[in-house]
Amino acid sequence: MVKNPSSIPRNTDQKQFLTILSREEALARFEAALFPWPVPTETLRLAEALGLALAEDVVAQVDVPPFDRSNVDGFAVRAADLVAASDLQPVRLTLNMETIACGSLPQLAVLPGTATAIATGGPLPRGADAIVMVEYTQPAEGAAIEVWRAVSPGQFVSSAGSDMARGEVVLRAGSVIGAREIGILAACGTAQVTVARKLRVAVLSTGDELVQPGEPLQPAGIYDANGPIVSAAVTENGGEAYFLGAFPDDEARLETAMREALDSHDVLILSGGTSKGAGDVSYRIIGRLGQPGIIAHGVALKPGKPLCLAVCDGKPVIILPGFPTSAMFTFHDMVVPILRRMAGLPPRVDAQTSAQLPFRVPSELGRTEFVMVSLVQGRDGLMAYATGKGSGAITAFAQADGFIRIDAFVDHLPAGAQLPVTLFTPQVKVPDLVVIGSHCTGLDLVVGKIARQGISVRSLAVGSLGGLAAAKRCECDLAPIHLFDPQTQVYNTPFLGEGMELVPGWRRIQGIVFRRGDARFEDHAAPEAVEAALADPECMMVNRNQGAGTRILIDQLLGQKRPDGYWNQPRSHNAVAAAVVQKRADWGVTIGPVARAAGLGFIPLTQEHFDFALVADRKERVAVQAFLAALLSPDMQEALERAGFSRAC
Amino acid sequence: MVKNPSSIPRNTDQKQFLTILSREEALARFEAALFPWPVPTETLRLAEALGLALAEDVVAQVDVPPFDRSNVDGFAVRAADLVAASDLQPVRLTLNMETIACGSLPQLAVLPGTATAIATGGPLPRGADAIVMVEYTQPAEGAAIEVWRAVSPGQFVSSAGSDMARGEVVLRAGSVIGAREIGILAACGTAQVTVARKLRVAVLSTGDELVQPGEPLQPAGIYDANGPIVSAAVTENGGEAYFLGAFPDDEARLETAMREALDSHDVLILSGGTSKGAGDVSYRIIGRLGQPGIIAHGVALKPGKPLCLAVCDGKPVIILPGFPTSAMFTFHDMVVPILRRMAGLPPRVDAQTSAQLPFRVPSELGRTEFVMVSLVQGRDGLMAYATGKGSGAITAFAQADGFIRIDAFVDHLPAGAQLPVTLFTPQVKVPDLVVIGSHCTGLDLVVGKIARQGISVRSLAVGSLGGLAAAKRCECDLAPIHLFDPQTQVYNTPFLGEGMELVPGWRRIQGIVFRRGDARFEDHAAPEAVEAALADPECMMVNRNQGAGTRILIDQLLGQKRPDGYWNQPRSHNAVAAAVVQKRADWGVTIGPVARAAGLGFIPLTQEHFDFALVADRKERVAVQAFLAALLSPDMQEALERAGFSRAC
């Protein structure tokens, strides 16, 4: 973290700062420094061992079954007695005066010409060598049965030890204990097993700005997503995560925390603190924690270059990049294999599928690149749209279906390439409805309604023009848009491309936002307010990005003027409100519900039309019809009105 | 369970006993009786919610990022100031006297001609509209920098709310919370979520014969594998299993236990007690537990016909078949979908692959059949060998890779059919070495050694002749055999098929086993002992199966005689020892180590050769070479001798 201007490192220093290793070289050095690692073990009750790896071979201490067992309900007999049995000439056998239930020990031998009733699972009595099913018998006079089928010796009998033999190795060290393995172990009487115990992984976030979820957000603070996400990923990979909290960049305090964490855990993972800024202290501390220290600081990964791998006196210390997406890719690619090997677990297996790239994907030569993709069902199979590339947005990570890996020596992937896609979840579930374009809280209401009907929706907020581009490429069913054409003075319709239809949505009030009490705006109508703002050189505006419907409105307000702040062009209604609340700007244009939520003053300007460009080819799809029905339903129109939107009529 | 002969139901009764429903009909009736089910919810801290399904939509309460954020280390600038900046003509900007670190609130505006140092993650100060990376700057005289690159407005800035906008639905009800979802929730400050809570599933075993693992095995007792295996499978499918123990077939006690279980849990699963024997009490009790009671008792599944599905006052009660494999197939096919739906979880996704059947697989018309398969890498892809069909052996279940499903209206699958195989684990891992044939504890020593070298071994005990058949079909690398040819008086070699080589293994002492103190055998040599046994009509033998090497030895001992017990023909050394220990027979022939482990008297007969038929084609494979090297190593020869085997030389 940068503390004062003089601490900003010089350009020349920067170039020497990180010695970038290839992904493979970094992994190889890390493994060489860490292994052999003495896998820690513990002895657990069977139910507690689920999901862990056996540390020792398990030998059956008993035969399974422990005796010759009947597999059906029927009668224990001597096969030789029934050689001539048939429907026409049933054989009569005298019943022995006992019945062998499960768990009852036979007392009488089956002598020639006799039979003993036996239940499924009962132990075979002496003298018997087969079971005749009850279905092929009938009771006869004088405590006897008649049998009309011959049986072969051993029929319906599982002999002792036929499943597991005493002394046999039934499971080997390294086997992961699932329900099937639990069954094997229980069946031969094993109540406890020695397993590789779960790795104890300390997770620690660093950064003065971090606030824990649930706490109030301080100015300039952000919520710590990395601590929870890394802890969850450790748990998902069979470790035991201990989240120790977020620490400010106080070298002495952080060092104490890192030393304590390393003393009582197997692994220490930090996130944050790998920026190139000179304020970072974590990696300086690592040098003092133990030998050999830092193995790799800077790996040719994208995202994930600032990854730092260290081994301190036999324990791994890892600093993940600060952005959550970068942290997760490096964690899965570089850290998970190490953690699993340390825990005696087999390599992780991610589900894969194959999909085609609709567009060329450029890639940086020299870095192994992970590109998130969203899958869409195309005419000839799955299409993989690169998504959220380089954005660091955690929502992009959550909305992607998986990722493709581009090797370091490849500078692009061509359009049309068929590629393996590693899935984030085991099943490729192409959503029923894809909505790409502008976001509106009203849209959440409609989508929520059809989601409750069991329709899966992917909704991506990329702005109106981004949505139209997606619709043109048939990547979505609907593109929510709010674009004003100054020439025709018409909303949205002039922007529709070929094969698109307009579905009317709702109206939103656009207006000028300002901080309550600002005399330049309070109690003024829009024209006077804008005039006052433009007259004051200290008054700063916030604009919107090119392509936003609001931008067109702003340019109309300003005419040829370019007041201070004009070049600050965020991409959302919320960003405008935030800039004004946080005093980075004094006014801007956004929609009513956003102004209200931010507690800002609001001068209404005009009604904006929030509509949908529908890809006509997709109109008849069930999910599209469900969306249209939900949109038009009276309860939805009421709900939209309650939320501050008005009818599109 | 069968209590006395008169309780054995008559054949005519039997046919009315179960009304078999098709799998689909049983499921449909079960779902109709159970749903709609009010999914129980609870509010949990984020980390505790991992793996559970959200019960409510989650709306972002803040913008993410909460302010316009710098994505790099550098300087906050006005883009308009740098329009003309180049390598040749760098632009000089005066530094504002503050540095914006993460978490620090900017105090000074960036006026035209000035710049403020900013770290990655720092909030953009008022007036700035872009970041110039530190790499394109250098310090200049008098608290200034020179910049030699132009920047576009918004460059390296993520604007407030660009990731998540306040008021936006970021996750919908029904989403399963994984690490990615934890990241989203934490990033917008969510500390607690309302989720569908884990189902509380009571698991209860029934049967007089059941002994819990870890307890000593009573005569006629067997270890309870179903309780642990069902509990583990409940856990693996997102439930919370409460194993309540095994209950004997005492109607009053069992009813009390079932009522209490149902009062305090969401679901009750019993295993055992669905045999057709009239002693079963569980389903009689169900009729009294609540409405509507039993929905299906008897489903056209193989294995799994005796499955019983019930709903008692809104809660499901399920009785699984008694054999562990049947219990698991019915659990996964019929119960898991219900449990997941009740818990608000999406359907389970099992990994699948495709493989070819080497042989015809017959199937019973009218029942949906699950056939376990082992996968072997063939020349043209994976081959699926049906395994453990109908055996009920839990080891068969554990050694299989997955299963194929045969529809009720299909009576066989032809050889060569290409079929989907549902895998028991996500990855198809064809073992490095396949050993099929006779089992010996000596073999465990050799396999254990190469397993520790990281070679995966599948070892199936099917007897010597079964092993030779597998070797002939190239299903295995090695077949352990011990077959004596009476004509040539030579072990094993005469039995080798084309393309097989003999690998010498070790020698095992075969001998007569008897219970200590039996005067007919104690202190006698083999010929006299056999003579005494044959002379006593009360003396019962136990034989071995056709194809066993030991059977040939026994037939030599007996000549033309067929004493009582001759037709009792179990398939293993251990079964012979068990029959004698449990007094079902008085003598038999088995190997020394087994006799010793069983505590039986032993009269040595001959040395048996335990060798390996090697498929010559496979000799050069790494795993085969590793096996041969391990076998011949001096430490292995010593270990074999210590275990009671002698050298094969």
Side-chain angles (χ1 to χ4, degrees), chain A residues 21-180:
Chain A
L21 299 179
S22 76
R23 173 187 175 279
E24 291 68 26
E25 177 68 20
L27 257 184
R29 290 194 195 178
F30 193 34
E31 294 193 315
L34 185 58
F35 295 103
W37 158 268
V39 175
T41 64
E42 64 183 336
T43 301
L44 294 179
R45 291 188 305 118
L46 215 47
E48 297 164 342
L50 192 65
L52 300 176
L54 271 181
E56 300 171 351
D57 292 354
V58 176
V59 173
Q61 299 300 323
V62 296
D63 287 323
V64 178
F67 43 77
D68 295 354
R69 178 189 65 187
S70 173
N71 289 336
V72 292
D73 287 342
F75 298 91
V77 297
R78 290 169 170 251
D81 284 343
L82 299 176
V83 169
S86 72
D87 279 351
L88 293 177
Q89 286 207 304
V91 169
R92 186 178 193 278
L93 296 175
T94 307
L95 277 181
N96 295 304
M97 282 298 108
E98 74 169 340
T99 294
I100 304 164
C102 288
S104 74
L105 206 58
Q107 302 298 325
L108 306 172
V110 173
L111 299 175
T114 73
T116 300
I118 190 167
T120 305
L124 206 68
R126 180 175 165 109
D129 54 34
I131 310 292
V132 60
M133 286 174 81
V134 68
E135 282 87 338
Y136 302 123
T137 66
Q138 63 179 17
E141 301 256 320
I145 53 168
E146 287 188 336
V147 185
W148 55 77
R149 279 271 177 109
V151 291
S152 51
Q155 191 156 19
F156 299 125
V157 176
S158 289
S159 64
S162 58
D163 197 346
M164 287 177 246
R166 171 157 51 181
E168 186 183 352
V169 173
V170 289
L171 284 174
R172 295 202 177 276
S175 309
V176 177
I177 300 175
R180 295 191 298 157

Side-chain angles (χ1 to χ4, degrees), chain A residues 606-624:
Chain A
T606 181
Q607 271 203 330
E608 176 185 56
H609 297 208
F610 189 90
D611 299 323
F612 299 89
L614 167 64
V615 177
D617 266 2
R618 303 200 173 202
K619 191 175 181 177
E620 299 310 319
R621 300 183 62 223
V622 173
V624 174

Side-chain angles (χ1 to χ4, degrees), chain B residues 410-436:
Chain B
V410 171
D411 72 348
H412 78 283
L413 294 172
Q418 189 76 28
L419 292 169
V421 175
T422 303
L423 299 175
F424 286 135
T425 54
Q427 190 183 29
V428 188
K429 175 82 179 74
V430 175
D432 299 318
L433 187 76
V434 180
V435 180
I436 302 181

